Amino acid sequence: MKIAIIHDWLVTYAGAEKVLEQMLEVFPEADLYSVVDFIEENQRDFIKNKNVKTTFIQNLPFARKKYRSYLPLMPLAIEQLDLSNYEIIISSSHAVAKGVITGPDQLHISYVHSPIRYAWDLQHQYLRESNLTSGVKGLLAKYFLHKIRNWDYRTSNGVDIFMSNSSFISRRIWKVYRRESRVLYPPVDVSNFTMKSDKSDYYVTASRMVPYKKIDIIVEAFSKMPDKKLVVIGDGPDFNKIQRVAGQNVKLLGYQPFNVLKKHMQNAKAFVFAAEEDFGITPVEAQACGTPVIAYGKGGALETVNGLETFNQPTGLHFYSQTPEDIINAISKFEENQQLFKAENCRQNALRFSENHFKDEFKKVVETEYKKRNKKI
């Protein structure tokens, strides 16, 4: 099988790149394509130090730092990739990768982290946070998002098999493309985390500090509960804003290396998570440490955290409004039922999302669909 894997852009090592890494573990001989590739030479292990084939955007002015500004050109760029020599095309897509052009005898499997969020149901949130709700720039942004929605829907017809990273995203795929998808949860390196049953008297949260992560409301909630301790790990543009609302019982550690994050996850009585994520890796990592999760009850957290209301062996609980008051109520409910949350149950739940499980299932889907396609041909 001659295989090409297409990823949106290679600029960092985050959730989508961890999925790509496991795809390359399954198919190490695959050729790799991307809109741009700005991964440093000493950080290329996760793509097996491959020579990535990129688009013309790679060479445009300021592309290294401003590649997102070229989003209007990305549909055109991704369509210029010549994949005609490959039997199997795998796209790892949260933006434009699934829009590559393929032929009728080629198998295109698209693993979708999400349809383009800021063009579909999160458009209005994106426009508000970018101050693009009015004016000439706002009008241009809305026009462009309209055009990219049309392109995104049209190119969904070029995909043979959709895979989604959660049932939540599967519903989003159906909503915007009217296509069924197979759910395969993204890989989490649970083997890197060890369970600890003895817990300390504090809560923890960890995230990049950007608006949609809602770290500010977690900090505000704990600042209203001076008898509860919270440790916050992470940095980002909202750090100073969050620091201003933090009470003395809230400790902001900023960015920390993995071993410090792991230690705090292992020792915390619970991990607090207030974002609406498509999947959300950190709640799974916390459970791998034997730590229960108090999570916003929307998106991927409904699938990764076994809630108090519906499971005999709960691994956490959900709150349903992104407000400090709801978090305060959730903390109170957690402490009233703390004896129900067992470290071993949390760990066992996290194992459902292991890297080995992802690789086995992904390989099975690709090989099965390839055999089906060859029989038809």
Side-chain angles (χ1 to χ4, degrees), residues 168-347:
F168 176 67
I169 291 302
S170 185
R171 293 195 299 276
R172 187 178 275 169
I173 289 170
W174 173 255
K175 187 79 173 180
V176 302
Y177 303 145
R178 279 297 187 262
R179 295 285 301 277
E180 298 284 355
S181 60
R182 306 180 189 189
V183 175
L184 177 57
Y185 294 116
V188 181
D189 189 7
V190 293
S191 62
N192 236 344
F193 297 84
T194 48
M195 187 182 81
K196 191 170 187 292
S197 299
D198 298 329
K199 302 297 182 180
S200 301
D201 187 25
Y202 68 86
Y203 296 83
V204 68
T205 189
S207 172
R208 180 158 169 74
M209 292 190 181
V210 291
Y212 87 94
K213 294 289 189 179
K214 304 295 182 185
I215 300 298
D216 55 335
I217 67 168
I218 299 175
V219 169
E220 189 178 339
F222 275 86
S223 297
K224 294 178 179 179
M225 299 183 289
D227 58 321
K228 317 289 185 194
K229 296 176 183 176
L230 174 69
V231 172
V232 183
I233 297 174
D235 203 351
D238 281 1
F239 184 88
N240 291 335
K241 170 189 166 186
I242 291 166
Q243 193 173 42
R244 286 194 292 271
V245 300
Q248 292 188 346
N249 60 320
V250 177
K251 187 182 292 186
L252 300 175
L253 299 185
Y255 170 80
Q256 294 295 323
F258 174 74
N259 62 317
V260 175
L261 170 66
K262 177 179 171 181
K263 181 180 178 182
H264 280 91
M265 277 187 170
Q266 287 175 318
N267 289 311
K269 61 166 66 175
F271 182 86
V272 187
F273 186 75
E276 179 186 339
E277 290 277 21
D278 305 329
F279 176 74
I281 288 176
T282 49
V284 177
E285 293 174 337
Q287 290 173 87
C289 295
T291 300
V293 177
I294 300 167
Y296 177 49
K298 197 171 181 183
L302 287 173
E303 301 171 55
T304 59
V305 180
N306 295 340
L308 189 62
E309 300 86 356
T310 53
F311 289 88
N312 294 326
Q313 297 178 328
T315 65
L317 58 82
H318 300 101
F319 57 93
Y320 297 95
S321 177
Q322 290 170 308
T323 63
E325 291 70 30
D326 253 39
I327 293 175
I328 291 169
N329 292 335
I331 297 295
S332 177
K333 190 174 182 180
F334 172 80
E335 295 195 346
E336 288 169 8
N337 296 277
Q338 196 166 347
Q339 73 283 357
L340 299 177
F341 304 104
K342 307 295 184 186
E344 52 270 24
N345 292 338
C346 294
R347 174 73 184 180

Side-chain angles (χ1 to χ4, degrees), residues 95-145:
V96 298
K98 76 154 196 14
V100 292
I101 295 174
T102 58
D105 293 333
Q106 293 175 297
L107 174 64
H108 181 186
I109 297 175
S110 187
Y111 186 91
V112 176
H113 308 278
S114 176
I116 308 174
R117 299 173 183 88
Y118 33 85
W120 291 100
D121 52 315
L122 299 185
Q123 172 193 247
H124 300 293
Q125 177 184 324
Y126 164 75
L127 291 171
R128 281 194 305 272
E129 291 175 356
S130 304
N131 295 317
L132 292 171
T133 55
S134 60
V136 175
K137 285 186 178 179
L139 188 62
L140 288 172
K142 292 170 188 174
Y143 175 74
F144 161 67
L145 292 174

